[in-house]
């Protein structure tokens, strides 16, 4: 035992001395983030990339929905429309300086080897930012210009008020967004809650629809609202009883509108760091210095 502990002590001493003689760490590619300026990555070989953004005007579109059930009223299978708005911005890294002049202004591609005889993986440094009304809580700056979402129905008897015309105000204690997915415990496909909003106030607007006027807390993502298979709303009737309401959204129309929206000609410009949530909570995955220094990754 004494011999073993002596060997450990000697090894530790060698490691300690070797650390004094260790070479300086290799130079790193630098990610430069300064408020009000375009983010850049300066490579040790002199190449430079910068972050550009294609900002689009808001898309306002309508999605058919069907009220299939209400625990407090008789009417069901009532067809309505849900008008929503969203923005799809594209964020890309492009070459600002490169020894190959044909690459300047072009998209930066990352490539790394999988090993094991597999072909290398190559992908662009590109990310699309989807912002909708449901992102007001997490991204108030990016969603500031989006109009409020609206329920448009010719028949509002599916609400506890029981009137054909929209009531002046409806309070939803909860709005669950569900999607058909596998239950990890049973392995069966079922509707599972993926996000929600709480304490939602709907107010009658000039069109006779119900506009989302206030939301106390958003736990809803824009993607989940658009691609959901079921909405579960909970409100109360005049007696104070809870009334669950089931709605089936049809996302096909809105996805078609998004496809056409994405096909519009882009207008890229340098992104100004710090102006909105793309600098923090919605930051592109590649705005990370470690990515540009990952072993075995090439940038072309």
């Amino acid at each position: 035992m004494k011999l073993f502990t002596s060997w450990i002590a000697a090894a530790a001493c060698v490691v300690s001395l070797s650390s004094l003689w260790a070479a300086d760490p290799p130079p790193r590619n630098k990610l430069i983030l300064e408020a009000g300026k375009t983010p850049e990555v300066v490579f040790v070989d002199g190449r430079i990339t910068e972050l550009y953004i294609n900002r689009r005007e808001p898309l306002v579109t309508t999605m058919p929905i069907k009220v299939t059930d209400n625990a407090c009223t008789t009417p069901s299978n009532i067809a309505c429309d849900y008008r929503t708005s969203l923005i799809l911005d594209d964020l890309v890294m492009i070459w600002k300086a490169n020894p190959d002049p044909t690459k300047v202004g072009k998209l930066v591609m990352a490539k790394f080897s999988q090993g094991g005889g597999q072909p290398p993986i190559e992908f662009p440094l590109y990310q699309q930012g989807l912002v909708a009304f449901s992102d007001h809580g997490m991204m108030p700056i990016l969603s500031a210009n989006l109009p409020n979402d609206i329920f448009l129905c010719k028949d509002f008897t599916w609400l506890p008020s029981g009137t054909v015309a929209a009531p002046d105000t409806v309070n939803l204690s909860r709005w669950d967004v569900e999607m058909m997915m596998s239950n990890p415990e049973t392995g069966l496909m079922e509707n599972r809650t993926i996000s929600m909003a709480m304490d939602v106030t709907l107010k009658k607007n000039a069109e006779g629809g119900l506009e989302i006027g206030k939301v106390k807390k958003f736990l809803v993502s824009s993607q989940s609202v658009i691609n959901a298979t079921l909405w579960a709303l909970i409100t109360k009737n005049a007696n104070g009883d809870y009334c669950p309401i089931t709605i089936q959204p049809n996302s096909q129309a809105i996805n078609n509108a998004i496809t056409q929206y994405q096909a519009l000609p882009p207008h890229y410009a340098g992104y100004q760091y710090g102006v909105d949530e793309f600098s923090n909570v919605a930051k592109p995955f590649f705005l990370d210095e470690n990515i540009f220094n990952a072993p075995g990754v090439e940038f072309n």
Side-chain angles (χ1 to χ4, degrees), residues 38-51:
T38 300
E40 292 184 344
V41 176
V42 179
F43 289 82
V44 294
D45 60 10
R47 295 178 300 164
I48 302 174
T49 70
E50 57 185 354
L51 181 63

Side-chain angles (χ1 to χ4, degrees), residues 26-189:
R28 288 172 58 86
N29 303 320
K30 297 291 185 181
L31 172 63
I32 301 174
L33 302 174
E34 296 182 11
K37 295 184 178 180
T38 300
E40 292 184 344
V41 176
V42 179
F43 289 82
V44 294
D45 60 10
R47 295 178 300 164
I48 302 174
T49 70
E50 57 185 354
L51 181 63
Y52 266 49
I53 186 168
N54 173 35
R55 291 194 185 274
R56 294 184 174 95
E57 293 296 319
L59 169 67
V60 179
T61 187
T62 300
M63 175 169 57
I65 61 175
K66 182 184 288 186
V67 182
T68 59
D69 190 32
N70 187 327
C72 295
T73 60
T74 303
S76 61
N77 293 323
I78 294 178
C80 298
D81 286 328
Y82 183 79
R83 184 188 299 159
T84 188
S85 58
L86 56 89
I87 298 174
L88 279 169
D89 290 338
D90 304 304
L91 296 112
V92 298
M93 272 290 186
I94 68 167
W95 287 110
K96 179 180 180 181
N98 194 299
D100 183 350
T102 64
K103 290 186 177 182
V104 175
K106 300 292 181 62
L107 186 62
V108 177
M109 302 293 294
K111 183 171 71 173
F112 65 93
S113 174
Q114 300 185 78
Q118 296 294 318
I121 293 177
E122 189 171 18
F123 59 91
L125 296 189
Y126 163 87
Q127 184 167 313
Q128 191 170 76
L130 172 60
V131 183
F133 174 80
S134 54
D135 293 307
H136 276 323
M138 289 290 291
M139 293 181 278
I141 299 174
L142 285 168
S143 62
N145 294 326
L146 295 178
N148 294 349
D149 286 10
I150 304 172
F151 287 88
L152 296 168
C153 303
K154 294 181 179 179
D155 182 356
F156 279 98
T157 54
W158 52 274
L159 289 169
S161 61
T163 59
V164 173
D168 290 336
T169 305
V170 176
N171 294 311
L172 304 176
S173 58
R174 182 163 164 165
W175 177 350
D176 285 10
V177 177
E178 300 184 8
M179 186 174 290
M180 184 66 70
M181 55 196 308
S182 175
N183 185 326
E185 297 179 356
T186 65
L188 300 176
M189 295 296 291

